[in-house]
Amino acid sequence: MALERSYQAILQALHDAGIGLERGVNLFAGPLRPGKSLACFVQSTGGQVQWLLSHDAQTEIATAQVSVWSPQDQAQAGWEIAYEALHALHASQIGGYYLCKVREAEPTPIGRDDSGRNGYSFNVELHGLRT
Amino acid sequence: MSRIRIELRGVEEVAKRLLLADRHLKQGVAAGVYALGENIRTESMRRTPVDQGVLRASHYVTPPEQVEVGRPTVRVGCGGGAAKPYALIQHERLDFHHAEGEAKFLENAAKREAQNAARTIGKHARAYLQRVAKGGSGGS
C-alpha cells in the first residue's frame, strides 16, 4: 500500500476521530492562519529515511506538527481538543504507515498568536516502509 | 598407536588482548556517541534563532553514561537558565519569522546528524581498536 502524504493522513484521521474537528471548517493543512475562532493546523516538518538492511527496504519517518489555537475564553477547550487529537493519533495506523507515534505525553502550550488565541501543539511521527 | 600432542602458547596473551579490545571498543563507541552529540549541538547552534544569543549559548552535551548496558547515552539540549521561558516556544512556533535561524533548530540538527551517526561512531570505534592492534595498553 502506497504511503499517503503525512499531513493528509493526519488531517483525515483527525476529521474521522469525532472530536469536533472538520476539514475546511476548523481543521486545516499548512501553517497557522489568522483568525479568532478555535482552529487546528497540521504542518509537515520533514522527516528521515533509513535503510533497513535486514529487509532490503527503506523506512520513512515523516514528521508533522499539530497545533490547536483557541480564543482566551476557550483556552481549556482548546487544550482538551488538542489532547483528544493527540490520543486519536498516537499508536494508530493511518495512511498506509505502520505506526503513528506522538512524541509528547500531552499538548505543549506554545504561547499566543497575533489574535490572542492560545496555542497548544504536539509532534507526530509516521513510520512507513517505502516500496 | 601414535599420539599427537599440541601445545598452545600465548593463550593468556590472546585472552588479555581480547579483553582489551572489548574495553577499547566500548570506549570508542562512547567517544563516538559523544562526538555525535557535539555535532548535533554545533549544528543546532548554527540553526538557532538569535536575538541576544542567550538561547544559542544555552546548548549543552552531557558526557556519555551507561543508561543501559552496552548503550552509551548522551543528552543534547538547550533552553535552560535565562532562555527557559521562551526556548520551547521558539523551537515549536512554526509561524515565527526569523532573520537568523529557524524553528525546530534542535530537531532538524538531530535529523541531519542522524544520517551520519554510523559513520561518526564507527570512526571513533575503529580508532580505539587500532590502539589494541598497535599494542596499546588501554587506559583513558
Side-chain angles (χ1 to χ4, degrees):
Chain A
M1 184 177 173
L3 300 176
E4 269 187 61
R5 284 172 174 77
S6 58
Y7 75 90
Q8 290 282 12
I10 294 169
L11 279 172
Q12 194 59 46
L14 293 177
H15 177 89
D16 295 340
I19 54 175
L21 293 175
E22 197 176 337
R23 286 181 84 157
V25 177
N26 58 1
L27 175 61
F28 307 97
L32 169 67
R33 278 169 250 169
K36 295 197 178 298
S37 55
L38 190 148
C40 177
F41 299 88
V42 179
Q43 186 169 359
S44 172
T45 54
Q48 294 169 269
V49 176
Q50 294 170 344
W51 277 102
L52 287 179
L53 295 176
S54 58
H55 294 79
D56 193 24
Q58 284 177 313
T59 185
E60 176 178 311
I61 304 174
T63 57
Q65 187 191 68
V66 177
S67 61
V68 176
W69 299 85
S70 59
Q72 286 185 45
D73 58 350
Q74 296 175 39
Q76 187 59 25
W79 190 91
E80 291 292 343
I81 285 184
Y83 185 84
E84 295 292 328
L86 185 157
H87 284 278
L89 292 172
H90 185 61
S92 64
Q93 289 180 314
I94 58 174
Y97 294 85
Y98 63 80
L99 175 65
C100 175
K101 185 167 93 174
V102 178
R103 291 187 191 144
E104 294 88 354
E106 293 191 341
T108 307
I110 52 170
R112 288 182 183 161
D113 69 359
D114 293 340
S115 314
R117 291 181 298 184
N118 292 291
Y120 305 96
S121 78
F122 58 87
N123 294 283
V124 181
E125 288 179 8
L126 290 175
H127 297 236
L129 284 177
R130 275 191 180 178
T131 52
Chain B
M1 189 171 116
S2 60
R3 288 187 179 178
I4 299 172
R5 184 178 170 192
I6 298 173
E7 187 178 348
L8 290 175
R9 290 183 184 173
V11 174
E12 282 180 7
E13 180 61 22
V14 170
K16 196 171 134 191
R17 288 271 162 178
L18 284 174
L19 283 173
L20 199 58
D22 181 57
R23 197 173 84 196
H24 277 245
L25 183 61
K26 283 174 182 159
Q27 287 176 342
V29 170
V33 170
Y34 187 60
L36 183 64
E38 283 289 356
N39 291 348
I40 294 170
R41 182 177 75 110
T42 304
E43 180 63 18
S44 179
M45 287 175 76
R46 196 180 68 75
R47 292 167 180 258
T48 302
V50 175
D51 180 15
Q52 296 177 340
V54 176
L55 181 56
R56 186 164 66 183
S58 71
H59 280 74
Y60 64 86
V61 185
T62 62
E65 341 167 37
Q66 293 286 343
V67 177
E68 283 177 58
V69 176
R71 294 186 68 177
T73 303
V74 299
R75 289 177 197 281
V76 186
C78 65
K84 195 171 181 179
Y86 61 89
L88 186 62
I89 289 172
Q90 286 295 329
H91 192 266
E92 293 301 310
R93 287 291 290 268
L94 305 178
D95 56 313
F96 285 171
H97 296 284
H98 304 287
E100 190 180 336
E102 63 192 32
K104 297 281 187 189
F105 44 92
L106 182 56
E107 181 178 325
N108 290 340
K111 279 176 183 168
R112 185 187 134 139
E113 291 303 321
Q115 308 295 324
N116 305 320
R119 194 180 310 144
T120 304
I121 296 169
K123 186 176 122 189
H124 283 79
R126 258 195 315 278
Y128 272 69
L129 277 177
Q130 278 165 2
R131 288 191 195 175
V132 185
K134 287 176 183 167
S137 60
S140 67

